[in-house]
Amino acid sequence: MEIITKQDLQSFKEELMVDFDQLLEKKFNTVSSTQFEWLRSKAIRKMMDISPAALQNLRVTGKIRYKKIMGSYYYNKTDLLNLFEDAK
């Protein structure tokens, strides 16, 4: 059986904090690079000037990617822009 000293715990804490900081930095960099990639329904409808039914139709027919998080739909902005660019 090994005895754990206060110094051991302090060293472990410091190592853990460094690892935690690295994980947060990596996560922050990932989030900031994709921050505006997914938009809520209202923002998409306003930006594209389409009705809620039109947006729902695009979702149901599988023409655009979406995520449903706690009852709200989020759409991939790039998919929508590409879809409407193709239509021109």
Side-chain angles (χ1 to χ4, degrees), residues 16-34:
L16 191 60
M17 291 303 291
V18 167
D19 291 344
F20 187 67
D21 285 342
Q22 289 173 349
L23 286 172
L24 284 177
E25 184 177 327
K26 183 178 178 181
K27 181 69 175 170
F28 177 74
N29 290 338
T30 303
V31 170
S32 65
S33 67
T34 61

Side-chain angles (χ1 to χ4, degrees), residues 21-75:
D21 285 342
Q22 289 173 349
L23 286 172
L24 284 177
E25 184 177 327
K26 183 178 178 181
K27 181 69 175 170
F28 177 74
N29 290 338
T30 303
V31 170
S32 65
S33 67
T34 61
Q35 184 175 5
F36 297 107
E37 190 171 301
W38 292 91
L39 299 172
R40 291 185 69 173
S41 300
K42 187 175 182 178
I44 293 293
R45 289 193 325 261
K46 185 176 182 179
M47 180 177 64
M48 306 306 267
D49 193 28
I50 58 175
S51 70
L55 187 56
Q56 180 183 9
N57 186 39
L58 292 172
R59 182 180 74 238
V60 170
T61 58
K63 293 183 179 179
I64 55 172
R65 289 185 288 173
Y66 69 92
K67 294 181 181 181
K68 185 175 182 182
I69 301 172
M70 295 180 61
S72 295
Y73 288 98
Y74 293 85
Y75 299 90

